[in-house]
């Protein structure tokens, strides 16, 4: 019975809100639009403050480790790339001496990523099935 009374109160409040909105729309349309615009601005400002003060700094630990690995590997490969330019290029050997003319295989894994943590100590014991 309490559930029935609660739902009646909620429906009555929703009905009053719809009635008030329609009457406000008919009598003062410009005031309604101004009120909605100001409400949106205040809501966006509150959301922005909450996001920048609390939510933005809470990055997951794994994401932080990934970003650190990407940064380190970019620095590493950028350094190697710059040093290769300053060194004189070696004399190229004759490519036609190779018997097979297959194209070189490209690497499928990303060279700019590096594993920071791993469980290398743990090995599978396949004999104990």
């Amino acid at each position: 019975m309490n559930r029935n009374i609660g739902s009646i109160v909620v429906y009555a409040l929703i009905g009053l809100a719809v009635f008030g909105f329609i009457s406000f729309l008919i009598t003062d349309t410009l005031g309604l639009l101004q009120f909605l615009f100001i409400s949106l601005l205040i809501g966006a400002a509150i959301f922005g403050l909450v996001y920048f003060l609390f939510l933005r700094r809470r990055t997951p630990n794994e994401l932080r480790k990934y970003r650190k690995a990407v940064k380190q590997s970019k620095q590493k490969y950028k350094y190697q790339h710059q040093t290769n330019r300053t060194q004189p290029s070696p004399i190229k050997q004759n490519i036609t001496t190779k018997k097979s003319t297959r194209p070189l295989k490209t690497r499928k894994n990303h060279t700019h990523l590096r594993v920071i943590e791993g469980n290398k100590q743990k090995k599978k014991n396949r004999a104990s099935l």
Side-chain angles (χ1 to χ4, degrees):
M1 177 124 175
N2 288 337
R3 209 174 197 186
N4 215 2
I5 293 173
S7 63
I8 291 173
V9 170
V10 169
Y11 287 134
L13 284 175
I14 291 173
L16 286 174
V18 169
F19 177 74
F21 182 78
I22 291 173
S23 65
F24 197 33
L25 180 65
I26 292 172
T27 58
D28 191 16
T29 307
L30 188 61
L32 175 67
L33 292 175
Q34 185 180 10
F35 173 74
L36 288 175
F37 182 70
I38 291 172
S39 298
L40 282 174
L41 285 178
I42 292 172
I46 291 172
F47 176 76
L49 285 174
V50 168
Y51 178 76
F52 282 112
L53 292 178
F54 300 111
L55 299 178
R56 191 177 83 175
R57 295 184 185 171
R58 274 186 23 192
T59 58
N61 201 12
E62 295 172 4
L63 183 61
R64 190 176 298 146
K65 289 178 183 178
Y66 171 76
R67 287 181 181 165
K68 184 178 178 183
V70 169
K71 184 178 177 182
Q72 286 177 353
S73 58
K74 279 184 180 180
Q75 287 175 349
K76 176 183 174 185
Y77 288 106
K78 183 178 178 183
Y79 176 73
Q80 286 180 353
H81 185 64
Q82 288 175 351
T83 56
N84 286 342
R85 285 185 181 174
T86 59
Q87 295 174 353
S89 61
I91 300 172
K92 294 182 180 179
Q93 297 176 354
N94 193 359
I95 299 174
T96 58
T97 57
K98 291 184 179 180
K99 291 183 180 179
S100 65
T101 59
R102 288 186 287 168
L104 297 174
K105 292 183 181 179
T106 58
R107 293 183 71 167
K108 292 185 180 183
N109 58 351
H110 299 285
T111 59
H112 66 280
L113 300 177
R114 181 176 71 106
V115 176
I116 293 176
E117 290 183 6
N119 194 1
K120 296 179 182 178
Q121 300 293 333
K122 188 177 179 181
K123 292 185 179 180
K124 292 182 181 179
N125 190 0
R126 294 193 173 116
S128 64
L129 292 176

